[in-house]
Amino acid sequence: MHVPAARIVFSADDRAEIASATTEILSTGALTLGAHTRDFEAAFAAAHEAPFAVAVSSGTAALEIILRSLDVRDTDVIVPTNTFAATAFAVLRAGANPVFADVSPDTFALSADTVAAALTPNTRAVVLVHIGGLVSPDVEDLARLCAERDILLVEDAAHAHGCQHNGTFAGSFGVAGSFSFYPTKLITSGEGGMIVTADPAIHEAALIYRDQGKAGFLGNTHIREGYAWRLSELHAVTGKVHLRHLDEFLATRTRIAARYDAAIDGLARPGAPAPASRLRLPPGDVNNYYKYIVMPRPGVDRARLKKELKERHGVSLSGEVYEVPLHQQPVFTDYAGGALPVAEDLCSRHVCLPLHSDMTDAEAEHVLTSFAAALASLDLDGAA
Ligand SMILES: *Cc1c(COP(=O)(O)O)cnc(C)c1O
């Protein structure tokens, strides 16, 4: 059996619906900022209980637009170091300095403590990233810390479609949240992004920014330094059709994750260090398991583990979140502060088991038996 790192799921019905909508879009010539974009925005807002949603060309654009709307120019914006480079690029493009912070080992995310350690006198905003789809239970403490210091909390929810903590959806803990519809993400439109917010001023600003800063679609008065951040109708209809499957994808992913949880916990033997550990989700919370994160015990050679799984068992692990923290990336040399030891350790050791929105129980079983066998064989090699 072969289990790929990722699988993009569009049913035959979805493909037919998108093909027929494409024909309609091409024949009417309504190619951008039309009815499909409005439908996609309304459905996304409803699915996340958000008052406003604005569709844009990418998740990176969504985050940059939020930060521009907040005017963070010449301030410091705290981001976790274990995130995609786009999080910090958006901060830079909005005219601010990214400040890299460490994260909690229990959530892979920023916490009130790790943000407190990274604060500067010039900190204006914090970008919380829900790594792998887990909304950290520390989010409320972090929101309180930000409120006390008049710092804006923004969420990069690129991983977190449909995720919840304590009944609140990702994207609604801070002033605004950005989502991505890149092909690997839980819901895709090919390329695309979405801003969610409850703030009418951010909503208004986002509509202006995404279309070259124009005061209105038809006018030619430019009132903000915008950009070509529109989403085409072809992308919007793709995202709209895919989004309808969010609940079904969440149900499948939750079922497979429960199986993974039980098997990872079952690897432990009394009196011996656990071969691998996993993240824990508070009861009642929703994780979409964009990434199913596992920490093999210290000393396991990740490259060998991945090679063994692929070559002997046909199992490709999903990409890490992330392999190299941003403060160690060449492009951010000017912004790297000191060591961030927790993130450095997490980045160097964790693996992500493949988890697809249409995964079968047989595939999950194959991943788990292969993972246990590969870990055991590495242990034997290590002992020899
Ligand atoms: C994917 C991703 C983005 C960027 O999304 P794009 O749609 O590719 O621009 C931003 N932040 C994180 C954490 C991501 O994973």
Side-chain angles (χ1 to χ4, degrees), residues 5 14 17 31 62 70 88 114 125 131 162 215 247 270 377 379:
D14 289 349
E17 183 175 351
L31 286 152
L70 299 173
T114 69
I131 292 290
D247 287 347
S377 81
D379 269 353

Side-chain angles (χ1 to χ4, degrees), residues 16 33 36 67 93 99 109 120 122 143 179 195 209 235 239 248 283 297 307 343 351 373:
L33 297 183
H36 293 296
L67 293 168
R93 298 225 165 84
V99 173
T120 67
N122 200 25
F179 289 82
I195 295 159
Y209 273 118
H235 292 95
E248 167 200 326
R297 62 158 180 74
K307 190 165 183 294
V351 295

Side-chain angles (χ1 to χ4, degrees), residues 57-61 63 83-84 86-87 129 131 156 158-159 178-182 184-185 191-193 290 322:
S57 54
S58 71
T60 314
L63 185 56
T83 182
F84 189 46
T87 312
V129 185
I131 292 290
D156 179 343
H159 297 183
S178 57
F179 289 82
S180 166
F181 305 117
Y182 186 76
T184 58
K185 304 292 159 75
E191 295 280 0
Y290 170 63
Y322 286 82

Side-chain angles (χ1 to χ4, degrees), residues 43-375:
F44 199 86
H48 294 82
E49 296 181 357
F52 304 108
V54 178
V56 294
S57 54
S58 71
T60 314
L63 185 56
E64 179 177 337
I65 289 170
I66 292 168
L67 293 168
R68 281 183 181 266
S69 305
L70 299 173
D71 193 3
V72 295
R73 283 173 298 171
D74 303 319
T75 71
D76 292 339
V77 174
I78 294 175
V79 302
T81 189
N82 60 325
T83 182
F84 189 46
T87 312
F89 285 150
V91 169
L92 281 173
R93 298 225 165 84
N97 299 308
V99 173
F100 298 117
D102 213 344
V103 292
S104 158
D106 301 326
T107 63
F108 279 54
L110 296 176
S111 68
D113 288 347
T114 69
V115 167
L119 285 173
T120 67
N122 200 25
T123 301
R124 182 72 190 114
V126 172
V127 182
L128 173 64
V129 185
H130 305 299
I131 292 290
L134 179 82
V135 181
S136 167
D138 300 329
V139 62
E140 286 138 349
D141 284 346
L142 176 57
R144 207 168 304 124
L145 173 86
C146 290
E148 278 164 17
R149 297 181 179 247
D150 198 22
I151 291 169
L152 301 160
L153 179 62
V154 172
E155 294 164 75
D156 179 343
H159 297 183
H161 314 69
C163 299
Q164 297 181 43
H165 169 62
N166 266 348
T168 299
F169 279 93
S172 297
F173 291 94
V175 293
S178 57
F179 289 82
S180 166
F181 305 117
Y182 186 76
T184 58
K185 304 292 159 75
L186 208 85
I187 298 296
T188 183
S189 59
E191 295 280 0
M194 192 75 78
I195 295 159
V196 301
T197 186
D199 183 338
I202 295 176
H203 175 232
E204 194 64 27
L207 293 173
I208 293 167
Y209 273 118
R210 79 168 167 189
D211 191 20
Q212 305 287 8
K214 288 198 295 185
F217 182 52
L218 295 174
N220 278 309
T221 309
H222 301 267
I223 58 175
R224 287 178 183 268
E225 196 179 312
Y227 196 72
W229 278 314
R230 297 168 303 270
L231 186 71
S232 82
E233 286 284 279
L234 302 164
H235 292 95
V237 77
T238 304
K240 167 176 130 180
V241 168
H242 212 219
L243 180 63
R244 282 193 209 129
H245 297 282
L246 180 59
D247 287 347
E248 167 200 326
F249 290 174
L250 287 174
T252 301
R253 302 178 76 92
T254 300
R255 185 187 89 234
I256 302 294
R259 221 182 158 108
Y260 283 0
D261 287 350
I264 299 296
D265 294 349
L267 294 173
R269 293 289 167 266
S277 59
R278 63 177 174 91
L279 301 187
R280 300 195 175 254
L281 186 69
D285 282 10
V286 177
N287 186 344
N288 64 14
Y289 299 98
Y290 170 63
K291 296 286 178 174
Y292 187 92
I293 297 172
V294 179
M295 285 292 277
R297 62 158 180 74
V300 169
D301 180 335
R302 176 167 63 191
R304 283 192 54 208
L305 177 65
K306 290 174 79 169
K307 190 165 183 294
E308 173 94 5
L309 277 167
K310 185 158 188 182
E311 290 176 2
R312 279 229 213 145
H313 303 278
V315 172
S316 295
L317 293 185
S318 175
E320 289 84 30
V321 280
Y322 286 82
E323 187 181 359
V324 179
L326 297 188
H327 71 283
Q328 296 178 338
Q329 293 278 7
V331 69
F332 296 118
T333 306
D334 290 351
Y335 303 94
L340 298 169
V342 175
E344 286 167 25
D345 178 52
L346 300 181
C347 287
S348 70
R349 285 203 291 129
H350 81 283
V351 295
C352 298
L353 301 185
L355 205 172
H356 314 142
S357 294
D358 65 348
M359 199 164 205
T360 64
D361 289 312
E363 286 176 314
E365 203 50 50
H366 180 65
V367 169
L368 291 169
T369 50
S370 304
F371 186 63
L375 270 180

